Amino acid sequence: MPLEWLMGWSGSLDRLRDFIGTGIQSFRDCDTTALSTVACLLVLFVWYCYHVGREQPRPYVTVNSLMQSADANGLQNGYAYCQSPECVRCTHHDGLNQKLYHNLQEYAKRYSWSGMGRIHKGIREQGRYLNSRPSIQKPEVFFLPDLPTMPYFSRDAQKHDVELLERNFPTILCEFETLYKAFSNCSLPQGWKVNSTPSGEWLTFYLVNQGTCVPRNCRKCPRTYRLLGSLRTCISNNVFGNACISVLTPGTVITEHYGPTNIRIRCHLGLKTPSNCELVVGGEPQCWSEGRCLLFDDSFLHTAFHEGSPEEGPRVVFMVDLWHPNVAAAERQALDFIFTPGR
């Protein structure tokens, strides 16, 4: 038995020696320049992977320093900010860029870096992007680079959701009219929010507010709320997603302002559209139509006004935020993670 074991061991050594010798000879036969090139490329690839995973964003200015200082009336970029500690646009924290980068790294560790190029680029260069944007388009929180930009989008940009909303126009209008009957001259019904405007009244009734469902309001508009679940591109899981009924009383002017990001398209379904009401986005005016959707990029400078008579009643739209059609599915999933409410 020991003799057989020794012979087997000797045979294994001989085969190992032959294998090593063959490998050395093959290496000698190869072109040295080609081997050097492959080795250099391998080293560069390893360095790049390490660099992407470990590098922190460049110390550009944070979102807080990008905002213009408020004047005595609390106006920034011509818009009255609510100062709510929960509001992603109105309250900005030092180190936001670092926080976003940390969230992206955490997402990539759980899932993948695949498809994260634009988001990674956008977060690292956020300060430069926001500072260098033309004044016509300046999203105040997050700018995703390389997205096609235009003030208004055609209905085909999100055709399924537009058609679904328009088919349900009578349902949404009916639930609004039920809500509006609760108004009186002495008090604002529960669930409605008054927004700051230079003149008139701008009222909103949120079903989803910055990615968070408002249960009490949803119970008052159950069919409209269920409809949101049927929309394919509705933003409902991050702070840039909203769905609400928006009311402008006659004589109301909303001061020009920018939205927080360019990753979304804001959709207005006209419920009540008196004459002399306009939406102006990037300097281009449009009018609402009852039962029809109007799609626009609210990261452009925009305003709205109702110059009709009191007898015509309020201008009313159902507003919902949809994904920009050029944001890929992998990017949507990552942005939902990075901008999860409360993260």
Side-chain angles (χ1 to χ4, degrees):
M1 184 66 179
L3 182 59
E4 293 176 358
W5 182 83
L6 286 174
M7 290 179 66
W9 177 256
S10 177
S12 298
L13 289 177
D14 290 340
R15 286 193 295 273
L16 179 61
R17 184 174 60 253
D18 293 342
F19 177 76
I20 294 174
T22 302
I24 292 174
Q25 185 60 41
S26 299
F27 180 81
R28 289 173 177 171
D29 293 341
C30 288
D31 187 288
T32 305
T33 303
L35 287 172
S36 300
T37 302
V38 170
C40 288
L41 290 173
L42 181 61
V43 169
L44 287 172
F45 176 73
V46 172
W47 174 84
Y48 175 77
C49 292
Y50 174 82
H51 183 70
V52 168
R54 297 289 298 175
E55 185 185 24
Q56 294 299 313
R58 299 178 187 177
Y60 291 114
V61 291
T62 62
V63 175
N64 185 51
S65 61
L66 299 177
M67 308 297 292
Q68 298 179 4
S69 60
D71 62 18
N73 295 320
L75 295 178
Q76 297 180 7
N77 290 333
Y79 183 77
Y81 282 71
C82 66
Q83 306 303 324
S84 167
E86 291 81 24
C87 183
V88 68
R89 180 177 61 195
C90 302
T91 301
H92 302 282
H93 305 280
D94 291 331
L96 177 60
N97 292 348
Q98 286 75 14
K99 180 179 177 63
L100 296 182
Y101 195 85
H102 171 78
N103 290 347
L104 174 60
Q105 285 186 316
E106 186 178 344
Y107 172 85
K109 289 176 183 177
R110 292 190 186 185
Y111 303 100
S112 171
W113 278 104
S114 178
M116 296 299 104
R118 280 198 301 193
I119 298 177
H120 179 260
K121 177 182 177 183
I123 291 175
R124 291 185 60 226
E125 307 286 340
Q126 199 63 204
R128 182 173 66 84
Y129 284 132
L130 297 182
N131 273 335
S132 63
R133 294 300 303 168
S135 59
I136 196 173
Q137 185 195 28
K138 280 196 173 184
E140 295 178 333
V141 177
F142 179 72
F143 177 79
L144 185 65
D146 305 323
L147 282 182
T149 60
M150 60 192 80
Y152 295 96
F153 283 77
S154 72
R155 296 160 47 80
D156 291 338
Q158 298 297 3
K159 185 176 181 180
H160 172 272
D161 290 352
V162 165
E163 292 179 347
L164 186 59
L165 286 166
E166 291 179 350
R167 284 199 302 270
N168 285 272
F169 161 69
T171 297
I172 301 172
L173 177 62
C174 179
E175 292 195 328
F176 160 72
E177 290 177 335
T178 301
L179 282 175
Y180 208 62
K181 289 176 182 177
F183 273 82
S184 66
N185 294 326
C186 57
S187 64
L188 185 70
Q190 193 173 46
W192 287 87
K193 175 186 174 184
V194 180
N195 302 278
S196 298
T197 56
S199 61
E201 286 187 327
W202 174 23
L203 310 172
T204 46
F205 187 84
Y206 280 93
L207 304 183
V208 178
N209 187 10
Q210 295 186 358
T212 302
C213 172
V214 185
R216 179 176 293 174
N217 289 359
C218 292
R219 285 193 291 269
K220 295 179 180 179
C221 300
R223 290 178 293 176
T224 302
Y225 177 65
R226 283 197 298 270
L227 175 64
L228 293 177
S230 301
L231 300 178
R232 294 176 181 173
T233 61
C234 176
I235 301 178
S236 57
N237 296 318
N238 72 55
V239 295
F240 299 129
N242 302 274
C244 72
I245 296 171
S246 174
V247 176
L248 296 186
T249 60
T252 299
V253 176
I254 299 176
T255 311
E256 290 184 321
H257 62 284
Y258 304 98
T261 184
N262 66 328
I263 67 171
R264 72 188 187 190
I265 294 178
R266 180 148 283 185
C267 175
H268 281 183
L269 172 65
L271 300 182
K272 289 183 176 293
T273 58
S275 59
N276 297 313
C277 294
E278 275 189 6
L279 172 69
V280 182
V281 183
E284 299 181 19
Q286 290 277 357
C287 295
W288 297 275
S289 298
E290 292 182 4
R292 300 280 289 179
C293 287
L294 184 61
L295 306 180
F296 65 99
D297 183 344
D298 74 323
S299 67
F300 281 79
L301 189 65
H302 64 284
T303 181
F305 56 84
H306 181 354
E307 294 182 339
S309 65
E311 292 75 23
E312 292 182 283
R315 182 241 59 179
V316 185
V317 299
F318 179 63
M319 184 197 83
V320 59
D321 290 322
L322 308 176
W323 284 104
H324 189 294
N326 293 92
V327 178
E331 292 175 318
R332 295 179 187 184
Q333 180 178 324
L335 291 166
D336 277 346
F337 182 91
I338 294 168
F339 290 101
T340 299
R343 178 175 291 279

